[in-house]
Amino acid sequence: MPTYNKLVRDFIPEIIKKNGKQLNTSILTDEEYVIELKAKLEEEVKEFLEAEGKEDSVEELADVLELLYALANQLGSSAEELEHVRAQKAKDRGAFNDKVYLIDVED
C-alpha cells in the first residue's frame, strides 16, 4: 500500500473509494493545516515550474491559486481581500507586465 502523507483536495478520498480502494485519512489541526498548505504550495509551484505547455502550466497555476485562497482563508482573509491587496500594490508599485529587469542602482 503506497504511503502519501500529504494534503489532498476534499473529494480525493471519495474518488479513491469509488475506485474500490481502501484508504486512511485524518483531519489536521489548524496549525498542521497551515504547515501542510505551505508544503503543498511548494509542491504545486515546483510542478508549475516543471510543466511543459500552456495547458499543464495553467492547470498547475490553478492549483497554486486554490492553495493561496486556502491560506488566505486560514489567515482570516478572503480571496476578495487578497485581490484587493494585489490590486492596490499594482496601483501603487506596478505589476509585472512591463517585463522590467533591474540590474543595479547607483548609490
Side-chain angles (χ1 to χ4, degrees), residues 18-80:
K18 285 181 182 176
N19 287 323
K21 296 181 180 180
Q22 300 292 319
L23 66 143
N24 294 301
T25 62
S26 66
I27 302 300
L28 302 171
T29 66
D30 287 345
E31 294 81 22
E32 292 169 329
Y33 183 48
V34 169
I35 290 167
E36 293 302 323
L37 281 169
K38 289 178 179 181
K40 189 71 173 179
L41 178 59
E42 187 173 47
E43 174 188 330
E44 295 299 339
V45 167
K46 183 176 185 277
E47 289 177 7
F48 165 72
L49 293 172
E50 294 172 353
E52 295 184 15
K54 179 184 176 182
E55 187 176 326
D56 288 343
S57 294
V58 170
E59 186 172 322
E60 297 305 333
L61 282 175
D63 289 341
V64 168
L65 190 57
E66 190 69 41
L67 289 159
L68 293 176
Y69 289 162
L71 281 161
N73 187 55
Q74 258 330 95
L75 294 170
S77 188
S78 66
E80 294 79 18

